[in-house]
Amino acid sequence: MKNSRLSLSGTNIVYLTFIGCALTIYLMLDSANITESSRAYLRLSGRVGMGLFFVSFGASTLHRLFNAGWSHYLIKNRRYYGISTAIVLWSHFLVILSLSVTASEWFRESAPWFILYPGSGVFILVGLMALSSNDYAVKKLGPKTWKTLHLVGGYTALAAFTYEYVLVLYLQPILLPNYEFAVKNSPLGTYALFAVPLLLFYLRFRKS
Ligand code: HEM
């Protein structure tokens, strides 16, 4: 009994994510170098959020493909991994917004409206998905509306992760000519990260 309470499942996943995020922000953000420390947190939260998103939005596909103990675990806990994804992505969003105060010049140059507005839309959708990840919301919205919200939100977030690396790899010289993405120091690492959302697209659209 005691063991199941300590296991990495159910609401424990959400609590752990929340505490992990708060602790990481506390340890990483450095007022002496707020821009670079915030950027480092944005890189970390973006990548961790993508990993959590992969296992939550990809759970049913992975289970269909592998039908193993670990994929069954993901199916059972995908709701909690989904909420954890939203917590991490909202911490990403809040740190971005905090930069508008703590590093306003950087923010003006590096977060133009054509990135900030669509990005904010994605965070709002992800937030709505998390808020409706409970039985009460499924009943209130009706299964059809609930499913539509989660499909539209899921694919929008998947497109946003894909876009992040399209921006890093191809669009940065046109859209953000003065910006340097740190991840570009490791081309192999960039392509490996880019492969994550592409793989999820592939798996979701794969027939069998
Ligand atoms: C509101 C608009 C957004 C802004 C201004 C923004 C800004 C940033 C910044 C400054 C970084 C650090 C990049 C660096 O300096 O090296 C970053 C990283 C990242 N962001 Fe965002 N972001 C936004 C929205 C999003 C959204 C909607 C997603 C996906 C749902 C996302 C996913 C990521 C990922 C995956 C990384 C890590 C990139 C890497 O591997 O280095 N971001 N973001």
Side-chain angles (χ1 to χ4, degrees), residues 36 38-48 50 89 92-93 96 99 106-107 110-112 115-120 122-123 126 156-158 160-162 164-165 168 179-184 189-190 193:
E36 286 313 311
S38 299
R39 280 183 62 185
Y41 182 77
L42 291 175
R43 285 194 289 278
L44 181 65
S45 56
R47 293 170 199 175
V48 171
M50 188 163 70
L89 287 181
H92 192 87
F93 191 31
I96 290 164
L99 280 165
W106 178 93
F107 185 81
S110 311
I115 291 181
L116 194 62
Y117 291 177
S120 304
V122 178
F123 293 121
V126 168
T156 306
L158 185 50
F161 285 118
T162 310
E164 172 70 29
Y165 291 101
V168 170
Y179 197 84
E180 282 175 31
F181 284 100
V183 71
K184 259 195 158 170
T190 314
L193 288 162

Side-chain angles (χ1 to χ4, degrees), residues 127-206:
L128 289 176
M129 286 165 76
L131 289 176
S132 62
S133 286
N134 54 72
D135 296 341
Y136 176 77
V138 179
K139 223 166 122 187
K140 262 284 182 220
L141 291 174
K144 214 171 148 199
T145 310
W146 187 91
K147 205 171 169 201
T148 306
L149 169 67
H150 283 250
L151 270 182
V152 171
Y155 278 111
T156 306
L158 185 50
F161 285 118
T162 310
Y163 178 75
E164 172 70 29
Y165 291 101
V166 171
L167 176 68
V168 170
L169 283 164
Y170 310 110
L171 297 178
Q172 175 268 323
I174 306 160
L175 296 180
L176 294 171
N178 300 319
Y179 197 84
E180 282 175 31
F181 284 100
V183 71
K184 259 195 158 170
N185 293 330
S186 155
L188 204 67
T190 314
Y191 282 106
L193 288 162
F194 187 29
V196 176
L198 293 182
L199 178 65
L200 189 50
F201 260 123
Y202 170 74
L203 291 176
R204 294 263 332 185
F205 286 111
R206 203 168 171 262

